[in-house]
Amino acid sequence: YEVSRALASCEGAILLVDASQGVQAQTMANFYLAMEANLTIIPVVNKVDLPYANIESTFEEIENELGFDREECILASGKTGKGVEEILEKIAATIPAPKGIREEPLSALIFDAMYDSYRGVIVYCRVFDGEIKPGDKIQFFSNKKEYEVEEVGYLRIKKIPRKSLQAGEVGYIIAGIKEIANSRIGDTITHAERPCEFPLPGFRE
């Protein structure tokens, strides 16, 4: 379920297949979730530098079980850097830009959350419409709890504070949330004073 909410926050996904292990059950499960979310999928055969990598067998599994042609697959290695530039170019060329209207009421999807002993709960979200900035009063759709935003920003290995998060952007929100149970994965965040009419689809308790 949490993976499905993360995928719902994206326009595309990189499908990594380990050249030494082939297509595994978890690969298939996540592949079908990405298909259901209608994402653009980029197939990548990873760890091709390993001495026991079986690239030909992996190609056959990808063709037979996932339906991609081997010509579509990018050969990559995180260790040597092979294929990394090609993957980035493929992302830029094929994955569509995010949509969203900044002037609409705020609707942001929670796809993850973590607890920080100094800052409280840090919510990871994708903003679909609207804008959120420090000082805004927000509300969680599922439990109607309200909070004042202290900080927003981007996730780039570490947290990078920004003036706001806008439609189409992914980032974090810190709002003095004390209990992680109040930040439910898949819930919709909106403004308390100007809420969106409906929550984003797919939320489950």
Side-chain angles (χ1 to χ4, degrees), residues 157-198:
I157 308 299
K158 60 181 181 178
K159 292 182 283 295
I160 311 292
R162 305 290 295 177
K163 290 182 179 178
S164 70
L165 288 177
Q166 300 178 10
E169 294 185 325
V170 170
Y172 70 90
I173 299 170
I174 299 172
I177 305 163
K178 303 299 182 193
E179 296 180 16
I180 200 158
N182 291 330
S183 304
R184 299 173 177 174
I185 306 303
D187 200 359
T188 299
I189 301 171
T190 190
H191 281 134
E193 280 115 26
R194 186 179 172 232
C196 55
E197 190 173 358
F198 301 105

mmCIF file of all heavy atoms in Angstrom, residues 157-198:
data_model
loop_
_atom_site.group_PDB
_atom_site.id
_atom_site.type_symbol
_atom_site.label_atom_id
_atom_site.label_comp_id
_atom_site.label_asym_id
_atom_site.label_seq_id
_atom_site.Cartn_x
_atom_site.Cartn_y
_atom_site.Cartn_z
ATOM 1 N N ILE A 157 18.721 14.230 -0.792
ATOM 2 C CA ILE A 157 19.535 13.514 0.177
ATOM 3 C C ILE A 157 19.293 14.126 1.563
ATOM 4 O O ILE A 157 18.810 13.472 2.463
ATOM 5 C CB ILE A 157 21.046 13.517 -0.177
ATOM 6 C CG1 ILE A 157 21.257 13.047 -1.620
ATOM 7 C CG2 ILE A 157 21.792 12.627 0.806
ATOM 8 C CD1 ILE A 157 20.790 11.649 -1.932
ATOM 9 N N LYS A 158 19.636 15.413 1.738
ATOM 10 C CA LYS A 158 19.250 16.100 2.967
ATOM 11 C C LYS A 158 18.067 17.023 2.652
ATOM 12 O O LYS A 158 17.721 17.229 1.479
ATOM 13 C CB LYS A 158 20.428 16.895 3.530
ATOM 14 C CG LYS A 158 20.979 17.967 2.594
ATOM 15 C CD LYS A 158 22.161 18.672 3.242
ATOM 16 C CE LYS A 158 22.698 19.774 2.325
ATOM 17 N NZ LYS A 158 23.819 20.506 2.950
ATOM 18 N N LYS A 159 17.464 17.589 3.690
ATOM 19 C CA LYS A 159 16.315 18.471 3.503
ATOM 20 C C LYS A 159 16.782 19.889 3.154
ATOM 21 O O LYS A 159 17.611 20.453 3.854
ATOM 22 C CB LYS A 159 15.439 18.469 4.769
ATOM 23 C CG LYS A 159 14.756 17.135 5.007
ATOM 24 C CD LYS A 159 13.855 17.152 6.226
ATOM 25 C CE LYS A 159 14.640 17.057 7.500
ATOM 26 N NZ LYS A 159 15.355 15.785 7.647
ATOM 27 N N ILE A 160 16.224 20.453 2.084
ATOM 28 C CA ILE A 160 16.576 21.800 1.625
ATOM 29 C C ILE A 160 15.369 22.713 1.828
ATOM 30 O O ILE A 160 14.385 22.605 1.085
ATOM 31 C CB ILE A 160 16.974 21.811 0.126
ATOM 32 C CG1 ILE A 160 18.002 20.713 -0.191
ATOM 33 C CG2 ILE A 160 17.455 23.189 -0.294
ATOM 34 C CD1 ILE A 160 19.356 20.920 0.435
ATOM 35 N N PRO A 161 15.369 23.594 2.843
ATOM 36 C CA PRO A 161 14.204 24.473 3.071
ATOM 37 C C PRO A 161 13.937 25.383 1.870
ATOM 38 O O PRO A 161 14.871 25.850 1.210
ATOM 39 C CB PRO A 161 14.612 25.293 4.300
ATOM 40 C CG PRO A 161 15.666 24.478 4.974
ATOM 41 C CD PRO A 161 16.405 23.782 3.860
ATOM 42 N N ARG A 162 12.642 25.613 1.594
ATOM 43 C CA ARG A 162 12.213 26.505 0.508
ATOM 44 C C ARG A 162 11.136 27.447 1.033
ATOM 45 O O ARG A 162 10.562 27.229 2.096
ATOM 46 C CB ARG A 162 11.658 25.699 -0.677
ATOM 47 C CG ARG A 162 12.603 24.640 -1.222
ATOM 48 C CD ARG A 162 13.785 25.234 -1.942
ATOM 49 N NE ARG A 162 13.365 25.945 -3.141
ATOM 50 C CZ ARG A 162 14.190 26.626 -3.941
ATOM 51 N NH1 ARG A 162 15.468 26.709 -3.638
ATOM 52 N NH2 ARG A 162 13.761 27.228 -5.010
ATOM 53 N N LYS A 163 10.849 28.487 0.251
ATOM 54 C CA LYS A 163 9.790 29.425 0.641
ATOM 55 C C LYS A 163 8.411 28.787 0.518
ATOM 56 O O LYS A 163 7.481 29.166 1.233
ATOM 57 C CB LYS A 163 9.873 30.685 -0.218
ATOM 58 C CG LYS A 163 11.094 31.548 0.075
ATOM 59 C CD LYS A 163 11.098 32.802 -0.784
ATOM 60 C CE LYS A 163 12.318 33.673 -0.471
ATOM 61 N NZ LYS A 163 12.371 34.886 -1.329
ATOM 62 N N SER A 164 8.266 27.840 -0.422
ATOM 63 C CA SER A 164 6.971 27.193 -0.610
ATOM 64 C C SER A 164 7.154 25.901 -1.399
ATOM 65 O O SER A 164 8.203 25.668 -1.996
ATOM 66 C CB SER A 164 5.999 28.115 -1.360
ATOM 67 O OG SER A 164 6.399 28.268 -2.712
ATOM 68 N N LEU A 165 6.124 25.055 -1.374
ATOM 69 C CA LEU A 165 5.990 23.922 -2.280
ATOM 70 C C LEU A 165 4.759 24.183 -3.132
ATOM 71 O O LEU A 165 3.700 24.537 -2.602
ATOM 72 C CB LEU A 165 5.817 22.612 -1.516
ATOM 73 C CG LEU A 165 7.028 22.037 -0.781
ATOM 74 C CD1 LEU A 165 6.628 20.779 -0.018
ATOM 75 C CD2 LEU A 165 8.164 21.729 -1.745
ATOM 76 N N GLN A 166 4.897 24.009 -4.439
ATOM 77 C CA GLN A 166 3.812 24.344 -5.355
ATOM 78 C C GLN A 166 3.358 23.117 -6.132
ATOM 79 O O GLN A 166 3.988 22.063 -6.090
ATOM 80 C CB GLN A 166 4.270 25.441 -6.317
ATOM 81 C CG GLN A 166 4.694 26.718 -5.610
ATOM 82 C CD GLN A 166 5.199 27.774 -6.556
ATOM 83 O OE1 GLN A 166 5.086 27.649 -7.767
ATOM 84 N NE2 GLN A 166 5.764 28.839 -6.015
ATOM 85 N N ALA A 167 2.240 23.286 -6.851
ATOM 86 C CA ALA A 167 1.661 22.211 -7.647
ATOM 87 C C ALA A 167 2.732 21.543 -8.505
ATOM 88 O O ALA A 167 3.507 22.211 -9.184
ATOM 89 C CB ALA A 167 0.543 22.764 -8.529
ATOM 90 N N GLY A 168 2.790 20.196 -8.441
ATOM 91 C CA GLY A 168 3.750 19.429 -9.219
ATOM 92 C C GLY A 168 5.040 19.116 -8.498
ATOM 93 O O GLY A 168 5.861 18.355 -8.995
ATOM 94 N N GLU A 169 5.229 19.687 -7.288
ATOM 95 C CA GLU A 169 6.487 19.488 -6.577
ATOM 96 C C GLU A 169 6.352 18.433 -5.472
ATOM 97 O O GLU A 169 5.265 18.209 -4.942
ATOM 98 C CB GLU A 169 6.973 20.810 -5.976
ATOM 99 C CG GLU A 169 7.354 21.829 -7.033
ATOM 100 C CD GLU A 169 7.946 23.101 -6.465
ATOM 101 O OE1 GLU A 169 7.517 23.532 -5.380
ATOM 102 O OE2 GLU A 169 8.842 23.663 -7.112
ATOM 103 N N VAL A 170 7.482 17.810 -5.158
ATOM 104 C CA VAL A 170 7.570 16.819 -4.095
ATOM 105 C C VAL A 170 8.499 17.369 -3.023
ATOM 106 O O VAL A 170 9.532 17.957 -3.337
ATOM 107 C CB VAL A 170 8.115 15.482 -4.641
ATOM 108 C CG1 VAL A 170 8.438 14.518 -3.508
ATOM 109 C CG2 VAL A 170 7.122 14.852 -5.604
ATOM 110 N N GLY A 171 8.137 17.177 -1.753
ATOM 111 C CA GLY A 171 9.006 17.675 -0.695
ATOM 112 C C GLY A 171 8.531 17.257 0.678
ATOM 113 O O GLY A 171 7.830 16.254 0.833
ATOM 114 N N TYR A 172 8.929 18.042 1.673
ATOM 115 C CA TYR A 172 8.582 17.714 3.053
ATOM 116 C C TYR A 172 7.869 18.882 3.715
ATOM 117 O O TYR A 172 7.983 20.033 3.291
ATOM 118 C CB TYR A 172 9.835 17.331 3.854
ATOM 119 C CG TYR A 172 10.776 18.490 4.118
ATOM 120 C CD1 TYR A 172 10.653 19.283 5.258
ATOM 121 C CD2 TYR A 172 11.789 18.806 3.216
ATOM 122 C CE1 TYR A 172 11.510 20.346 5.503
ATOM 123 C CE2 TYR A 172 12.657 19.868 3.452
ATOM 124 C CZ TYR A 172 12.507 20.628 4.595
ATOM 125 O OH TYR A 172 13.347 21.699 4.815
ATOM 126 N N ILE A 173 7.123 18.561 4.775
ATOM 127 C CA ILE A 173 6.415 19.568 5.570
ATOM 128 C C ILE A 173 6.700 19.285 7.043
ATOM 129 O O ILE A 173 6.574 18.148 7.500
ATOM 130 C CB ILE A 173 4.890 19.512 5.342
ATOM 131 C CG1 ILE A 173 4.545 19.788 3.873
ATOM 132 C CG2 ILE A 173 4.165 20.505 6.253
ATOM 133 C CD1 ILE A 173 3.084 19.510 3.538
ATOM 134 N N ILE A 174 7.086 20.327 7.789
ATOM 135 C CA ILE A 174 7.208 20.250 9.240
ATOM 136 C C ILE A 174 6.175 21.198 9.824
ATOM 137 O O ILE A 174 6.144 22.374 9.469
ATOM 138 C CB ILE A 174 8.633 20.631 9.701
ATOM 139 C CG1 ILE A 174 9.669 19.661 9.103
ATOM 140 C CG2 ILE A 174 8.724 20.639 11.219
ATOM 141 C CD1 ILE A 174 11.105 20.068 9.339
ATOM 142 N N ALA A 175 5.308 20.651 10.703
ATOM 143 C CA ALA A 175 4.200 21.473 11.198
ATOM 144 C C ALA A 175 3.868 21.177 12.655
ATOM 145 O O ALA A 175 2.701 21.248 13.057
ATOM 146 C CB ALA A 175 2.964 21.257 10.305
ATOM 147 N N GLY A 176 4.864 20.830 13.443
ATOM 148 C CA GLY A 176 4.618 20.595 14.862
ATOM 149 C C GLY A 176 3.712 19.418 15.143
ATOM 150 O O GLY A 176 2.989 19.407 16.147
ATOM 151 N N ILE A 177 3.753 18.406 14.280
ATOM 152 C CA ILE A 177 2.925 17.215 14.467
ATOM 153 C C ILE A 177 3.629 16.306 15.470
ATOM 154 O O ILE A 177 4.777 15.921 15.260
ATOM 155 C CB ILE A 177 2.709 16.485 13.118
ATOM 156 C CG1 ILE A 177 2.113 17.465 12.085
ATOM 157 C CG2 ILE A 177 1.805 15.279 13.293
ATOM 158 C CD1 ILE A 177 2.236 16.999 10.651
ATOM 159 N N LYS A 178 2.959 15.968 16.548
ATOM 160 C CA LYS A 178 3.601 15.241 17.649
ATOM 161 C C LYS A 178 3.584 13.722 17.458
ATOM 162 O O LYS A 178 4.506 13.032 17.868
ATOM 163 C CB LYS A 178 2.936 15.586 18.981
ATOM 164 C CG LYS A 178 2.941 17.073 19.311
ATOM 165 C CD LYS A 178 4.348 17.640 19.415
ATOM 166 C CE LYS A 178 4.328 19.117 19.794
ATOM 167 N NZ LYS A 178 5.642 19.751 19.612
ATOM 168 N N GLU A 179 2.526 13.182 16.873
ATOM 169 C CA GLU A 179 2.384 11.736 16.763
ATOM 170 C C GLU A 179 2.359 11.315 15.299
ATOM 171 O O GLU A 179 1.586 11.847 14.504
ATOM 172 C CB GLU A 179 1.104 11.269 17.455
ATOM 173 C CG GLU A 179 1.107 11.532 18.952
ATOM 174 C CD GLU A 179 -0.169 11.050 19.612
ATOM 175 O OE1 GLU A 179 -0.904 10.260 18.980
ATOM 176 O OE2 GLU A 179 -0.433 11.469 20.759
ATOM 177 N N ILE A 180 3.183 10.317 14.967
ATOM 178 C CA ILE A 180 3.269 9.887 13.571
ATOM 179 C C ILE A 180 1.976 9.223 13.116
ATOM 180 O O ILE A 180 1.655 9.208 11.923
ATOM 181 C CB ILE A 180 4.496 8.958 13.360
ATOM 182 C CG1 ILE A 180 4.868 8.924 11.863
ATOM 183 C CG2 ILE A 180 4.253 7.566 13.933
ATOM 184 C CD1 ILE A 180 6.290 8.519 11.597
ATOM 185 N N ALA A 181 1.185 8.696 14.064
ATOM 186 C CA ALA A 181 -0.097 8.075 13.717
ATOM 187 C C ALA A 181 -1.061 9.083 13.098
ATOM 188 O O ALA A 181 -2.004 8.703 12.398
ATOM 189 C CB ALA A 181 -0.721 7.452 14.954
ATOM 190 N N ASN A 182 -0.839 10.374 13.355
ATOM 191 C CA ASN A 182 -1.716 11.402 12.775
ATOM 192 C C ASN A 182 -1.363 11.717 11.326
ATOM 193 O O ASN A 182 -2.125 12.397 10.634
ATOM 194 C CB ASN A 182 -1.643 12.683 13.606
ATOM 195 C CG ASN A 182 -2.278 12.510 14.973
ATOM 196 O OD1 ASN A 182 -3.202 11.716 15.133
ATOM 197 N ND2 ASN A 182 -1.773 13.228 15.965
ATOM 198 N N SER A 183 -0.200 11.259 10.863
ATOM 199 C CA SER A 183 0.225 11.477 9.470
ATOM 200 C C SER A 183 0.047 10.170 8.712
ATOM 201 O O SER A 183 0.978 9.384 8.585
ATOM 202 C CB SER A 183 1.681 11.931 9.414
ATOM 203 O OG SER A 183 1.869 13.081 10.201
ATOM 204 N N ARG A 184 -1.138 9.932 8.231
ATOM 205 C CA ARG A 184 -1.471 8.647 7.630
ATOM 206 C C ARG A 184 -1.064 8.611 6.161
ATOM 207 O O ARG A 184 -1.399 9.522 5.394
ATOM 208 C CB ARG A 184 -2.972 8.390 7.770
ATOM 209 C CG ARG A 184 -3.426 8.328 9.224
ATOM 210 C CD ARG A 184 -4.932 8.253 9.338
ATOM 211 N NE ARG A 184 -5.348 8.124 10.735
ATOM 212 C CZ ARG A 184 -6.611 8.160 11.126
ATOM 213 N NH1 ARG A 184 -7.579 8.312 10.245
ATOM 214 N NH2 ARG A 184 -6.909 8.036 12.412
ATOM 215 N N ILE A 185 -0.358 7.550 5.796
ATOM 216 C CA ILE A 185 0.088 7.400 4.418
ATOM 217 C C ILE A 185 -1.128 7.360 3.503
ATOM 218 O O ILE A 185 -2.093 6.639 3.746
ATOM 219 C CB ILE A 185 0.924 6.110 4.236
ATOM 220 C CG1 ILE A 185 2.074 6.057 5.238
ATOM 221 C CG2 ILE A 185 1.435 6.000 2.799
ATOM 222 C CD1 ILE A 185 3.019 7.233 5.189
ATOM 223 N N GLY A 186 -1.096 8.139 2.426
ATOM 224 C CA GLY A 186 -2.208 8.200 1.470
ATOM 225 C C GLY A 186 -3.224 9.276 1.773
ATOM 226 O O GLY A 186 -4.126 9.527 0.963
ATOM 227 N N ASP A 187 -3.104 9.921 2.941
ATOM 228 C CA ASP A 187 -4.045 10.978 3.310
ATOM 229 C C ASP A 187 -3.784 12.229 2.462
ATOM 230 O O ASP A 187 -2.698 12.416 1.904
ATOM 231 C CB ASP A 187 -3.894 11.305 4.791
ATOM 232 C CG ASP A 187 -5.116 12.007 5.369
ATOM 233 O OD1 ASP A 187 -6.075 12.262 4.621
ATOM 234 O OD2 ASP A 187 -5.099 12.307 6.580
ATOM 235 N N THR A 188 -4.788 13.085 2.410
ATOM 236 C CA THR A 188 -4.698 14.341 1.661
ATOM 237 C C THR A 188 -4.521 15.503 2.636
ATOM 238 O O THR A 188 -5.239 15.604 3.632
ATOM 239 C CB THR A 188 -5.975 14.578 0.827
ATOM 240 O OG1 THR A 188 -6.114 13.505 -0.112
ATOM 241 C CG2 THR A 188 -5.910 15.900 0.069
ATOM 242 N N ILE A 189 -3.558 16.364 2.347
ATOM 243 C CA ILE A 189 -3.361 17.605 3.104
ATOM 244 C C ILE A 189 -4.006 18.740 2.320
ATOM 245 O O ILE A 189 -3.823 18.849 1.107
ATOM 246 C CB ILE A 189 -1.864 17.909 3.286
ATOM 247 C CG1 ILE A 189 -1.164 16.765 4.032
ATOM 248 C CG2 ILE A 189 -1.667 19.223 4.031
ATOM 249 C CD1 ILE A 189 0.346 16.911 4.055
ATOM 250 N N THR A 190 -4.739 19.587 3.021
ATOM 251 C CA THR A 190 -5.336 20.751 2.372
ATOM 252 C C THR A 190 -5.260 21.942 3.332
ATOM 253 O O THR A 190 -4.834 21.806 4.476
ATOM 254 C CB THR A 190 -6.791 20.459 1.937
ATOM 255 O OG1 THR A 190 -7.263 21.528 1.096
ATOM 256 C CG2 THR A 190 -7.710 20.275 3.136
ATOM 257 N N HIS A 191 -5.658 23.117 2.863
ATOM 258 C CA HIS A 191 -5.681 24.290 3.731
ATOM 259 C C HIS A 191 -6.922 24.251 4.615
ATOM 260 O O HIS A 191 -8.011 23.890 4.162
ATOM 261 C CB HIS A 191 -5.681 25.578 2.900
ATOM 262 C CG HIS A 191 -4.331 25.952 2.379
ATOM 263 N ND1 HIS A 191 -4.118 26.333 1.081
ATOM 264 C CD2 HIS A 191 -3.116 26.000 2.989
ATOM 265 C CE1 HIS A 191 -2.829 26.599 0.911
ATOM 266 N NE2 HIS A 191 -2.208 26.394 2.044
ATOM 267 N N ALA A 192 -6.759 24.621 5.879
ATOM 268 C CA ALA A 192 -7.886 24.614 6.807
ATOM 269 C C ALA A 192 -8.933 25.649 6.407
ATOM 270 O O ALA A 192 -10.137 25.408 6.528
ATOM 271 C CB ALA A 192 -7.394 24.877 8.232
ATOM 272 N N GLU A 193 -8.487 26.828 5.914
ATOM 273 C CA GLU A 193 -9.423 27.903 5.598
ATOM 274 C C GLU A 193 -10.000 27.816 4.184
ATOM 275 O O GLU A 193 -11.089 28.310 3.922
ATOM 276 C CB GLU A 193 -8.720 29.259 5.770
ATOM 277 C CG GLU A 193 -8.648 29.716 7.214
ATOM 278 C CD GLU A 193 -7.218 29.796 7.721
ATOM 279 O OE1 GLU A 193 -6.308 29.977 6.890
ATOM 280 O OE2 GLU A 193 -7.019 29.650 8.935
ATOM 281 N N ARG A 194 -9.260 27.151 3.276
ATOM 282 C CA ARG A 194 -9.743 27.009 1.889
ATOM 283 C C ARG A 194 -9.473 25.577 1.427
ATOM 284 O O ARG A 194 -8.567 25.331 0.636
ATOM 285 C CB ARG A 194 -9.022 28.013 0.983
ATOM 286 C CG ARG A 194 -9.558 28.057 -0.446
ATOM 287 C CD ARG A 194 -8.795 29.087 -1.268
ATOM 288 N NE ARG A 194 -9.164 29.006 -2.668
ATOM 289 C CZ ARG A 194 -8.295 28.890 -3.666
ATOM 290 N NH1 ARG A 194 -6.999 28.844 -3.439
ATOM 291 N NH2 ARG A 194 -8.716 28.827 -4.919
ATOM 292 N N PRO A 195 -10.238 24.624 1.961
ATOM 293 C CA PRO A 195 -9.963 23.215 1.658
ATOM 294 C C PRO A 195 -10.368 22.831 0.236
ATOM 295 O O PRO A 195 -11.244 23.464 -0.368
ATOM 296 C CB PRO A 195 -10.813 22.467 2.691
ATOM 297 C CG PRO A 195 -11.926 23.405 2.999
ATOM 298 C CD PRO A 195 -11.368 24.789 2.883
ATOM 299 N N CYS A 196 -9.719 21.779 -0.278
ATOM 300 C CA CYS A 196 -10.159 21.220 -1.552
ATOM 301 C C CYS A 196 -11.466 20.468 -1.312
ATOM 302 O O CYS A 196 -11.780 20.072 -0.184
ATOM 303 C CB CYS A 196 -9.094 20.295 -2.147
ATOM 304 S SG CYS A 196 -8.548 18.966 -1.046
ATOM 305 N N GLU A 197 -12.238 20.268 -2.368
ATOM 306 C CA GLU A 197 -13.583 19.690 -2.215
ATOM 307 C C GLU A 197 -13.525 18.202 -1.875
ATOM 308 O O GLU A 197 -14.298 17.710 -1.054
ATOM 309 C CB GLU A 197 -14.381 19.906 -3.506
ATOM 310 C CG GLU A 197 -15.852 19.557 -3.377
ATOM 311 C CD GLU A 197 -16.655 19.931 -4.602
ATOM 312 O OE1 GLU A 197 -16.074 20.507 -5.547
ATOM 313 O OE2 GLU A 197 -17.864 19.625 -4.629
ATOM 314 N N PHE A 198 -12.603 17.458 -2.532
ATOM 315 C CA PHE A 198 -12.522 16.015 -2.341
ATOM 316 C C PHE A 198 -11.087 15.612 -2.036
ATOM 317 O O PHE A 198 -10.147 16.238 -2.526
ATOM 318 C CB PHE A 198 -12.997 15.269 -3.595
ATOM 319 C CG PHE A 198 -14.407 15.579 -3.996
ATOM 320 C CD1 PHE A 198 -14.669 16.398 -5.088
ATOM 321 C CD2 PHE A 198 -15.479 15.079 -3.274
ATOM 322 C CE1 PHE A 198 -15.964 16.690 -5.474
ATOM 323 C CE2 PHE A 198 -16.777 15.373 -3.652
ATOM 324 C CZ PHE A 198 -17.037 16.179 -4.744
#
